[in-house]
PDB file of all heavy atoms in Angstrom:
ATOM      1  N   SER A  84      40.288  72.176 142.849  1.00 93.00           N
ATOM      2  CA  SER A  84      40.695  70.777 142.903  1.00 93.00           C
ATOM      3  C   SER A  84      42.223  70.668 142.881  1.00 93.00           C
ATOM      4  O   SER A  84      42.915  71.598 142.445  1.00 93.00           O
ATOM      5  CB  SER A  84      40.116  70.020 141.710  1.00 93.00           C
ATOM      6  OG  SER A  84      40.744  70.448 140.508  1.00 93.00           O
ATOM      7  N   PRO A  85      42.766  69.546 143.351  1.00 90.00           N
ATOM      8  CA  PRO A  85      44.226  69.366 143.287  1.00 90.00           C
ATOM      9  C   PRO A  85      44.772  69.488 141.868  1.00 90.00           C
ATOM     10  O   PRO A  85      45.852  70.062 141.657  1.00 90.00           O
ATOM     11  CB  PRO A  85      44.427  67.948 143.846  1.00 90.00           C
ATOM     12  CG  PRO A  85      43.227  67.687 144.692  1.00 90.00           C
ATOM     13  CD  PRO A  85      42.094  68.419 144.022  1.00 90.00           C
ATOM     14  N   GLU A  86      44.037  68.952 140.886  1.00 90.00           N
ATOM     15  CA  GLU A  86      44.497  69.028 139.492  1.00 90.00           C
ATOM     16  C   GLU A  86      44.573  70.466 139.013  1.00 90.00           C
ATOM     17  O   GLU A  86      45.507  70.847 138.304  1.00 90.00           O
ATOM     18  CB  GLU A  86      43.571  68.221 138.583  1.00 90.00           C
ATOM     19  CG  GLU A  86      43.609  66.729 138.810  1.00 90.00           C
ATOM     20  CD  GLU A  86      42.508  66.253 139.738  1.00 90.00           C
ATOM     21  OE1 GLU A  86      42.056  67.036 140.600  1.00 90.00           O
ATOM     22  OE2 GLU A  86      42.093  65.098 139.619  1.00 90.00           O
ATOM     23  N   THR A  87      43.590  71.279 139.388  1.00 93.00           N
ATOM     24  CA  THR A  87      43.592  72.682 138.967  1.00 93.00           C
ATOM     25  C   THR A  87      44.795  73.412 139.532  1.00 93.00           C
ATOM     26  O   THR A  87      45.494  74.140 138.817  1.00 93.00           O
ATOM     27  CB  THR A  87      42.284  73.372 139.393  1.00 93.00           C
ATOM     28  OG1 THR A  87      41.188  72.773 138.687  1.00 93.00           O
ATOM     29  CG2 THR A  87      42.326  74.856 139.083  1.00 93.00           C
ATOM     30  N   PHE A  88      45.064  73.227 140.814  1.00 93.00           N
ATOM     31  CA  PHE A  88      46.242  73.873 141.409  1.00 93.00           C
ATOM     32  C   PHE A  88      47.520  73.419 140.727  1.00 93.00           C
ATOM     33  O   PHE A  88      48.433  74.216 140.483  1.00 93.00           O
ATOM     34  CB  PHE A  88      46.310  73.576 142.914  1.00 93.00           C
ATOM     35  CG  PHE A  88      45.407  74.427 143.755  1.00 93.00           C
ATOM     36  CD1 PHE A  88      44.462  73.857 144.578  1.00 93.00           C
ATOM     37  CD2 PHE A  88      45.496  75.814 143.722  1.00 93.00           C
ATOM     38  CE1 PHE A  88      43.628  74.633 145.367  1.00 93.00           C
ATOM     39  CE2 PHE A  88      44.660  76.606 144.499  1.00 93.00           C
ATOM     40  CZ  PHE A  88      43.726  76.016 145.326  1.00 93.00           C
ATOM     41  N   SER A  89      47.601  72.141 140.399  1.00 89.00           N
ATOM     42  CA  SER A  89      48.802  71.618 139.741  1.00 89.00           C
ATOM     43  C   SER A  89      48.985  72.234 138.359  1.00 89.00           C
ATOM     44  O   SER A  89      50.106  72.591 137.971  1.00 89.00           O
ATOM     45  CB  SER A  89      48.693  70.097 139.633  1.00 89.00           C
ATOM     46  OG  SER A  89      49.760  69.565 138.882  1.00 89.00           O
ATOM     47  N   GLN A  90      47.897  72.399 137.624  1.00 90.00           N
ATOM     48  CA  GLN A  90      47.976  72.906 136.257  1.00 90.00           C
ATOM     49  C   GLN A  90      48.324  74.389 136.189  1.00 90.00           C
ATOM     50  O   GLN A  90      49.059  74.814 135.293  1.00 90.00           O
ATOM     51  CB  GLN A  90      46.658  72.640 135.540  1.00 90.00           C
ATOM     52  CG  GLN A  90      46.387  71.171 135.270  1.00 90.00           C
ATOM     53  CD  GLN A  90      44.927  70.889 134.980  1.00 90.00           C
ATOM     54  OE1 GLN A  90      44.220  71.729 134.439  1.00 90.00           O
ATOM     55  NE2 GLN A  90      44.456  69.715 135.365  1.00 90.00           N
ATOM     56  N   ILE A  91      47.808  75.189 137.116  1.00 92.00           N
ATOM     57  CA  ILE A  91      48.065  76.628 137.037  1.00 92.00           C
ATOM     58  C   ILE A  91      49.390  77.007 137.688  1.00 92.00           C
ATOM     59  O   ILE A  91      49.906  78.106 137.445  1.00 92.00           O
ATOM     60  CB  ILE A  91      46.913  77.461 137.645  1.00 92.00           C
ATOM     61  CG1 ILE A  91      46.732  77.158 139.134  1.00 92.00           C
ATOM     62  CG2 ILE A  91      45.623  77.213 136.895  1.00 92.00           C
ATOM     63  CD1 ILE A  91      45.633  77.992 139.792  1.00 92.00           C
ATOM     64  N   GLY A  92      49.961  76.121 138.509  1.00 88.00           N
ATOM     65  CA  GLY A  92      51.262  76.399 139.111  1.00 88.00           C
ATOM     66  C   GLY A  92      51.291  77.664 139.940  1.00 88.00           C
ATOM     67  O   GLY A  92      52.252  78.434 139.886  1.00 88.00           O
ATOM     68  N   LEU A  93      50.251  77.887 140.725  1.00 89.00           N
ATOM     69  CA  LEU A  93      50.122  79.126 141.488  1.00 89.00           C
ATOM     70  C   LEU A  93      50.987  79.092 142.743  1.00 89.00           C
ATOM     71  O   LEU A  93      50.990  78.109 143.490  1.00 89.00           O
ATOM     72  CB  LEU A  93      48.659  79.330 141.870  1.00 89.00           C
ATOM     73  CG  LEU A  93      48.318  80.599 142.658  1.00 89.00           C
ATOM     74  CD1 LEU A  93      48.517  81.828 141.772  1.00 89.00           C
ATOM     75  CD2 LEU A  93      46.882  80.529 143.157  1.00 89.00           C
ATOM     76  N   HIS A  94      51.708  80.178 142.988  1.00 89.00           N
ATOM     77  CA  HIS A  94      52.492  80.333 144.213  1.00 89.00           C
ATOM     78  C   HIS A  94      51.745  81.299 145.131  1.00 89.00           C
ATOM     79  O   HIS A  94      51.829  82.519 145.001  1.00 89.00           O
ATOM     80  CB  HIS A  94      53.892  80.858 143.889  1.00 89.00           C
ATOM     81  CG  HIS A  94      54.683  79.947 143.002  1.00 89.00           C
ATOM     82  ND1 HIS A  94      55.186  78.736 143.429  1.00 89.00           N
ATOM     83  CD2 HIS A  94      55.040  80.061 141.696  1.00 89.00           C
ATOM     84  CE1 HIS A  94      55.826  78.141 142.442  1.00 89.00           C
ATOM     85  NE2 HIS A  94      55.748  78.926 141.374  1.00 89.00           N
ATOM     86  N   TYR A  95      50.999  80.724 146.064  1.00 94.00           N
ATOM     87  CA  TYR A  95      50.155  81.509 146.957  1.00 94.00           C
ATOM     88  C   TYR A  95      49.950  80.690 148.216  1.00 94.00           C
ATOM     89  O   TYR A  95      49.755  79.469 148.153  1.00 94.00           O
ATOM     90  CB  TYR A  95      48.818  81.818 146.271  1.00 94.00           C
ATOM     91  CG  TYR A  95      47.886  82.715 147.061  1.00 94.00           C
ATOM     92  CD1 TYR A  95      48.137  84.078 147.172  1.00 94.00           C
ATOM     93  CD2 TYR A  95      46.755  82.193 147.671  1.00 94.00           C
ATOM     94  CE1 TYR A  95      47.279  84.900 147.896  1.00 94.00           C
ATOM     95  CE2 TYR A  95      45.887  83.007 148.383  1.00 94.00           C
ATOM     96  CZ  TYR A  95      46.158  84.359 148.492  1.00 94.00           C
ATOM     97  OH  TYR A  95      45.303  85.160 149.201  1.00 94.00           O
TER      98      TYR A  95
END
Side-chain angles (χ1 to χ4, degrees):
S84 69
E86 293 96 332
T87 295
F88 280 123
S89 174
Q90 291 161 31
I91 62 178
L93 181 68
H94 299 289
Y95 184 74

